[in-house]
Amino acid sequence: MNKYKEVVIQSYSDYFNYLKNELITLHIENYFYGLIIISLLVFILEVLFPWRKNQPIIRKDFWLDTFYMFFNFFLLNLIVLIALNNVTAQLFNDFLGLFGMNLESLHLIDLSHVPKPVALLIFFVVADFVQWNTHRLLHRVDFFWNFHKVHHSVKQMGFAAHLRYHWMEPVVYKTLLYVPMAIIGGFSIQEVFIVHFIAITIGHLNHANIGWDYGPLKYIFNNPKMHIWHHSKEMPRKYGANFGISLSIWDYLFGSNYIPKDGKDIELGFNEDENFPDSFIEQELYPLKLKKEA
């Protein structure tokens, strides 16, 4: 038991030092300033090419979503996720040890000898497919949907809405992504950084106030014109549609695509969202606090 306690303590110490280093040191894999740069670039696109021209530049909940963006991307890791991830990895490694195995022995696919662009593409596609399935799960299982409601409480779309989500969501995503990613080896930190920020950029664009669909590429890449229907309040399909994270191809392949018309001005949200809490603390505590006061 002491071993796991030490893992937790070391996790907090290491991540705190990492976060401090991110703030004071500029380097090519800097997540903190990378997020700021991507956010500013997409925000500029929103200002220059707004799809919903009547939507304010500083839209409803802009500052709430901006706080969510930094909280979920950095502080949530410090509070719980890094320690939880490292303890899970240690538990899993100890379990494998009972059979004379370790995490590295799970690497059924070693991409270290594959050309880097191909390896990155494989990593990106596999991760996105797992996340697409996880996203569907968040909509189909009531227990998970209660947490996912936080993301769907957005009433005016903008780039920062991408990272408005309940603290429980990354726990679900990381748990279900853990084993599939564990079987793929041969990646460096730099390569994971590249894949992660490609996904962040696409996610920002999907939620931005811009009317793009990328022409023929819309059948491969998720896009704002498609993703806005995922957030539609009126949805004839019980569990929703357009679950793509970075790639739309999964929705087209498995029949969960849905774009009945131009969705520029559709109402966003979910049934009875008028009773949903609208402050950060209440949303993070949801569903323990079921609804805001009338």
Side-chain angles (χ1 to χ4, degrees):
M1 201 66 185
N2 285 334
K3 176 170 62 174
Y4 301 114
K5 180 180 179 181
E6 290 174 4
V7 169
V8 171
I9 294 172
Q10 190 64 46
S11 298
Y12 279 117
S13 176
D14 289 347
Y15 188 76
F16 177 78
N17 290 329
Y18 158 79
L19 189 56
K20 182 174 64 176
N21 186 61
E22 290 287 280
L23 294 173
I24 63 178
T25 307
L26 292 176
H27 54 89
I28 193 66
E29 299 94 20
N30 190 301
Y31 280 84
F32 183 79
Y33 293 108
L35 178 63
I36 291 176
I37 290 170
I38 289 173
S39 299
L40 286 175
L41 289 175
V42 178
F43 182 52
I44 289 170
L45 290 175
E46 285 188 324
V47 174
L48 294 178
F49 309 105
W51 188 22
R52 296 172 293 279
K53 300 185 184 302
N54 294 328
Q55 180 173 303
I57 293 175
I58 306 300
R59 60 175 177 79
K60 177 178 172 57
D61 292 338
F62 176 90
W63 297 114
L64 173 65
D65 290 341
T66 300
F67 179 78
Y68 260 114
M69 190 167 65
F70 288 97
F71 176 83
N72 282 334
F73 211 77
F74 298 104
L75 295 181
L76 186 57
N77 280 328
L78 180 62
I79 295 170
V80 64
L81 291 185
I82 289 296
L84 181 62
N85 183 70
N86 290 343
V87 168
T88 301
Q90 185 63 55
L91 282 168
F92 193 45
N93 202 36
D94 290 344
F95 173 74
L96 292 175
L98 298 175
F99 305 95
M101 302 169 63
N102 57 37
L103 289 174
E104 289 188 2
S105 66
L106 281 183
H107 289 171
L108 303 181
I109 304 172
D110 187 356
L111 298 178
S112 59
H113 303 298
V114 177
K116 290 304 178 186
V118 176
L120 288 174
L121 179 61
I122 293 172
F123 183 77
F124 176 73
V125 170
V126 171
D128 193 74
F129 182 62
V130 174
Q131 291 176 20
W132 176 79
N133 277 293
T134 304
H135 193 183
R136 290 175 63 242
L137 188 69
L138 294 177
H139 281 260
R140 296 184 71 89
V141 178
D142 289 342
F143 176 75
F144 293 138
W145 168 241
N146 271 326
F147 301 121
H148 194 48
K149 283 179 180 178
V150 170
H151 183 65
H152 280 267
S153 65
V154 173
K155 301 303 288 183
Q156 290 184 331
M157 291 281 270
F159 73 92
H162 173 210
L163 296 179
R164 182 202 289 201
Y165 53 77
H166 194 280
W167 62 269
M168 188 65 179
E169 278 204 31
V171 174
V172 179
Y173 273 105
K174 288 177 181 291
T175 300
L176 296 182
L177 192 61
Y178 189 82
V179 173
M181 291 298 100
I183 68 174
I184 302 178
F187 283 98
S188 67
I189 294 176
Q190 292 83 0
E191 289 157 351
V192 172
F193 175 88
I194 292 170
V195 170
H196 191 47
F197 265 91
I198 289 174
I200 291 297
T201 302
I202 295 174
H204 268 33
L205 290 169
N206 290 340
H207 292 82
N209 181 21
I210 50 179
W212 297 353
D213 63 10
Y214 314 131
L217 292 178
K218 66 185 178 182
Y219 299 109
I220 298 176
F221 294 104
N222 199 4
N223 56 82
K225 285 189 172 182
M226 183 176 192
H227 192 67
I228 198 162
W229 281 102
H230 178 72
H231 284 262
S232 174
K233 186 168 186 175
E234 298 295 328
M235 179 65 69
R237 301 184 183 183
K238 181 178 179 180
Y239 297 112
N242 301 349
F243 302 104
I245 305 298
S246 295
L247 302 178
S248 62
I249 190 170
W250 314 122
D251 288 305
Y252 286 105
L253 285 175
F254 296 101
S256 53
N257 59 299
Y258 179 75
I259 311 176
K261 60 180 181 179
D262 188 319
K264 179 174 68 171
D265 296 315
I266 59 175
E267 184 180 3
L268 309 182
F270 52 89
N271 290 335
E272 299 183 356
D273 59 2
E274 63 275 6
N275 297 321
F276 194 76
D278 50 19
S279 71
F280 172 77
I281 297 297
E282 289 178 317
Q283 288 181 358
E284 289 295 274
L285 292 176
Y286 188 88
L288 296 179
K289 184 170 183 178
L290 296 180
K291 62 183 181 179
K292 66 183 180 182
E293 299 296 332

